[in-house]
Amino acid sequence: MPHDDGGLMRLPWYLHALEKTNLIVTSLTACVVLYTRSAGVAYFALGAVVCSLTVKIVKRCVRQPRPVVVNGKRKKTYGMPSTHSAVITHYAVYVALACAYLPIHPSLPASPALSRVVPVLIVLPLAGTIAVSRIWLGHHTWTQVAAGCAYGMLFAPLWFKLWTGGLDEYGHVLEGMLPV
């Protein structure tokens, strides 16, 4: 795991990338929103933000501290449930639902293999790796990560149901208003 370098802990290269998942996933999501110009993708991204904010409210209610990290310092925020785990699980579940049930957006490849199978094959293992990395990095306990994953697994289908239950109609109107 992390090794000592003159009193400071350095992360191995593979954990360094996982330490930056917030920036990486947010940037990639923004690129997809801008590329597709899809109201549905923007709604999905908004769902990740809402999931994150509601998890932070739960954290303040539960008030369970994080584990002590390797260098002996503890983050000042609470750890239960893991926000990263909740949000990345929201990503995985929502992407799987969207690939299974939503029509393919015109900006995406029409091939079912490319638009329905490949995203799921990428996001599911990546989400699992990111969630478990929260333990490897010392930010959360197994229980905190499991609670975060459970939160994301419950949140995503509810958010998806709001979209398919009528909000998608507003999305089509918004997309029709965008200049070509």
Side-chain angles (χ1 to χ4, degrees):
M1 282 299 172
H3 48 280
D4 197 351
D5 190 15
L8 297 173
M9 300 309 286
R10 264 194 12 209
L11 294 174
W13 66 269
Y14 58 91
L15 286 181
H16 184 69
L18 290 169
E19 183 72 72
K20 304 293 183 195
T21 56
N22 197 10
L23 176 65
I24 295 167
V25 172
T26 302
S27 299
L28 290 173
T29 303
C31 289
V32 172
V33 169
L34 293 172
Y35 173 76
T36 63
R37 299 176 61 189
S38 163
V41 175
Y43 175 80
F44 156 73
L46 176 64
V49 172
V50 172
C51 182
S52 175
L53 293 174
T54 55
V55 166
K56 289 176 189 297
I57 292 168
V58 172
K59 277 187 183 195
R60 288 181 186 238
C61 294
V62 174
R63 303 175 63 88
Q64 185 182 86
R66 293 172 180 267
V68 176
V69 293
V70 181
N71 64 4
K73 293 183 181 178
R74 185 185 304 236
K75 283 185 90 173
K76 293 180 182 178
T77 58
Y78 297 111
M80 173 66 94
S82 164
T83 305
H84 280 78
S85 299
V87 173
I88 203 64
T89 302
H90 160 76
Y91 267 77
V93 172
Y94 198 99
V95 166
L97 290 169
C99 287
Y101 297 110
L102 294 180
I104 297 173
H105 192 269
S107 66
L108 299 174
S111 162
L114 287 177
S115 293
R116 297 202 181 277
V117 177
V118 172
V120 176
L121 292 177
I122 292 171
V123 77
L124 290 179
L126 197 56
T129 302
I130 291 170
V132 173
S133 78
R134 305 310 293 165
I135 299 159
W136 297 337
L137 292 165
H139 296 305
H140 293 284
T141 64
W142 280 102
T143 307
Q144 292 169 346
V145 168
C149 290
Y151 191 97
M153 286 172 50
L154 292 172
F155 182 87
L158 294 172
W159 195 253
F160 185 79
K161 182 63 179 160
L162 287 173
W163 181 253
T164 58
L167 288 178
D168 58 334
E169 295 303 322
Y170 295 105
H172 296 304
V173 171
L174 286 172
E175 284 183 20
M177 294 169 47
L178 290 174
V180 179

